Amino acid sequence: MALRDRIRNGLYGNEDRDVEGQEKAARFSAMLETSDRPYAAQRALFFYGIAEAVLVSAIVVAPQLVWKIELLAQETILLAVGVPFVLGFKIAHSLIAISRKNTFRTEPPIEGGVMSSFANGDKDDRRVKVWFVSAAVGIMNVFALGYLQHVRMS
């Protein structure tokens, strides 16, 4: 393949990149469709709640074993910080999703008409708040589980 053809394909794409992009888009839309199913948030909350309960019970029953597992993964901070953060994050995110579906909106929808340009900004603000609240809960979960482990170890 000539240099000119590679540059053209890099700028404008080719059939291989189009097919790859369509496959990625199909996988992404399938993932999004599963998150909009009626009880997806409840199922996620149940799953992550069970995982959190297992983690807390492991810390309460055998804190030394949990500490040894964390020491084995010391190079990758995934177990010590990542798992509690993700659990707290996903629990908070699921609770917010459940509460949003169960609340009644008092204001009329502004999807069309004069105020429709403000609808996207309002949605973006809510998304940012959800991510910040979920991240804060994830960080609090890391500290809470770390404190629980510290108390159980001493």
Side-chain angles (χ1 to χ4, degrees):
M1 176 181 290
L3 177 64
R4 182 185 61 191
D5 293 335
R6 281 190 270 165
I7 292 172
R8 186 192 66 230
N9 289 343
L11 291 174
Y12 302 113
N14 57 14
E15 290 180 24
D16 296 335
R17 289 177 67 189
D18 291 342
V19 169
E20 181 182 329
Q22 290 173 354
E23 289 172 357
K24 285 181 183 178
R27 286 193 306 263
F28 187 71
S29 75
M31 182 191 70
L32 289 178
E33 287 175 10
T34 60
S35 68
D36 287 340
R37 291 189 179 148
Y39 297 107
Q42 287 87 342
R43 281 191 307 241
L45 179 63
F46 178 74
F47 172 75
Y48 292 115
I50 294 272
E52 180 82 11
V54 167
L55 185 59
V56 168
S57 63
I59 289 173
V60 169
V61 172
Q64 286 81 16
L65 177 65
V66 174
W67 182 250
K68 286 178 186 176
I69 292 171
E70 288 175 356
L71 287 178
L72 290 175
Q74 196 171 15
E75 310 83 42
T76 63
I77 205 157
L78 179 69
L79 287 177
V81 177
V83 171
F85 176 78
V86 168
L87 287 175
F89 184 91
K90 293 302 285 183
I91 287 171
H93 195 268
S94 299
L95 285 172
I96 292 170
I98 290 169
S99 68
R100 278 199 180 157
K101 288 181 182 179
N102 293 336
T103 57
F104 179 72
R105 291 183 58 157
T106 56
E107 69 272 359
I110 53 174
E111 298 299 324
V114 178
M115 299 297 287
S116 64
S117 63
F118 294 105
N120 289 334
D122 186 38
K123 288 179 185 175
D124 290 341
D125 289 344
R126 281 187 267 146
R127 286 185 192 128
V128 169
K129 289 176 188 173
V130 167
W131 286 101
F132 276 120
V133 168
S134 298
V137 171
I139 291 169
M140 288 189 306
N141 194 36
V142 169
F143 286 120
L145 291 177
Y147 180 73
L148 176 64
Q149 184 172 1
H150 174 70
V151 168
R152 294 297 298 167
M153 290 285 290
S154 55

